[in-house]
Structures are given as C-alpha cells and as structure tokens.
C-alpha cells in the first residue's frame, strides 16, 4: 500500500493518525487479508485510539468494562473501520478525477465520525450519559413497550 501523505495536509490529524497506526502494524503482516486478523485489528485500534488527538478515554473505559469479550469485539470493529477507510482512500487515490486533498478531507471526516462515536460510547460506558429506547403505553395494561421493533411478528406464523 502506498500512503499519499505528502499530498495530504497536515491538518488532517485523524487521517495521519490512522495511516500511521495502520502502516506500523500491517508492514509486518503481509500474509492474507488484514481485516480477517482480529489481533492485528485490535492493535491498529489501540494504537489509533491511544493518540491524544483521538479518544484515549475509550481505551480506558473498555479495559475497565465488566464484559471483556464485547470490549474486544468493539476494538476489532474500530480496527476494521480504520483499515477499511484507509484502504478505500488508497484505492481511489489512483483515479484521475479524485483530488487528493478532497479525498484526504473525506477520509479524515469519516475517521472523525468514528472518534465521535467512540467518545459517545465512552460516556455511556462510564455512566456519564445514559441512552434509553423510547417507549409508549401498550393497550389497557399500561405496559411500556419500546417503539423500536425488528418487525419479526410475521415470522411467528411459520413456527
């Protein structure tokens, strides 16, 4: 993979942090698809999130979380997101119609959103913020039912 960092402004902090994290860990692992290597994805995520410009609080929150399996899954998901975002940016960099500065800005915006999601999840995991699914009164029972549904009632007919 070729990183076009010289074409990207130094103002793209998330892009640069992600590119550095990815190149540090994928340079050693040339075998197979890096997205399928869970340990590699965790290392990429930990390296990216440990940078002061990203979300080091997220790492602390998931290390203290009681469910380490879901914490590990969260790190893998973040690592895959970072890897896929940077790989996509590299793939479209060869297109003639693609401006490298605009591509870097789009990639940085995508990674910025990932960091904001990590910050929100940090607030939820630490108890600083809570999220609840809205409910409505159901029938005469006054039972509070969530308004979010998966639409699976029809599947019961075939049971």
């Amino acid at each position: 993979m070729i990183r076009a960092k010289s074409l990207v402004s130094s103002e793209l902090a998330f892009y640069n942090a992600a590119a550095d994290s990815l190149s540090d860990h994928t340079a050693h692992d040339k075998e197979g698809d890096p997205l399928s290597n869970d340990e590699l994805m965790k290392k990429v995520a930990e390296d990216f999130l440990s940078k002061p410009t990203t979300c080091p609080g997220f790492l602390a929150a998931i290390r203290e979380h009681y469910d380490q399996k879901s914490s590990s899954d969260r790190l893998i998901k973040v690592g895959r997101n970072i890897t896929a975002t940077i790989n996509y940016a590299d793939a479209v960099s060869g297109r003639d119609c693609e401006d490298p500065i605009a591509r870097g800005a789009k990639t940085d915006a995508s990674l910025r959103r990932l960091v904001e999601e990590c910050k929100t999840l940090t607030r939820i995991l630490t108890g600083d913020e809570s999220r609840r699914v809205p409910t409505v009164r159901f029938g005469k029972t006054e039972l509070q039912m969530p308004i979010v549904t998966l639409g699976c009632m029809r599947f019961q007919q075939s049971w």
Side-chain angles (χ1 to χ4, degrees):
M1 283 183 247
I2 299 172
R3 307 273 181 244
K5 287 180 67 171
S6 61
L7 300 174
V8 178
S9 169
S10 62
E11 297 173 1
L12 305 175
F14 297 120
Y15 176 86
N16 292 333
D20 289 343
S21 297
L22 191 59
S23 64
D24 288 349
H25 295 288
T26 57
H28 308 295
D29 184 33
K30 297 291 183 188
E31 297 178 18
D33 179 24
L35 290 174
S36 62
N37 185 339
D38 291 347
E39 289 305 313
L40 178 64
M41 292 300 100
K42 284 171 48 175
K43 289 177 186 174
V44 168
E46 288 172 345
D47 190 37
F48 175 75
L49 293 170
S50 66
K51 297 186 183 336
T53 56
T54 60
C55 189
F58 180 72
L59 287 175
I62 62 172
R63 285 185 181 130
E64 295 172 4
H65 194 259
Y66 68 92
D67 185 3
Q68 285 301 302
K69 173 71 173 126
S70 70
S71 296
S72 177
D73 289 345
R74 286 185 181 110
L75 276 178
I76 292 168
K77 183 177 180 181
V78 169
R80 286 181 178 157
N81 190 322
I82 294 164
T83 304
T85 301
I86 295 297
N87 286 347
Y88 176 77
D90 286 347
V92 298
S93 66
R95 297 181 185 168
D96 294 333
C97 61
E98 186 74 25
D99 177 30
I101 302 300
R103 176 185 49 83
K106 289 177 188 177
T107 305
D108 195 65
S110 178
L111 293 166
R112 181 179 309 276
R113 181 175 178 169
L114 174 65
V115 169
E116 289 303 317
E117 289 172 0
C118 288
K119 287 179 181 179
T120 301
L121 188 54
T122 301
R123 290 190 298 272
I124 292 169
L125 290 174
T126 58
D128 296 339
E129 182 178 321
S130 66
R131 300 276 173 113
R132 294 187 49 88
V133 175
T135 59
V136 295
R137 181 182 64 87
F138 179 74
K140 295 179 182 179
T141 62
E142 301 290 328
L143 182 65
Q144 293 295 311
M145 293 293 291
I147 61 170
V148 176
T149 178
L150 299 176
C152 294
M153 290 299 288
R154 291 185 183 200
F155 294 127
Q156 291 181 355
Q157 295 175 3
S158 63
W159 286 357

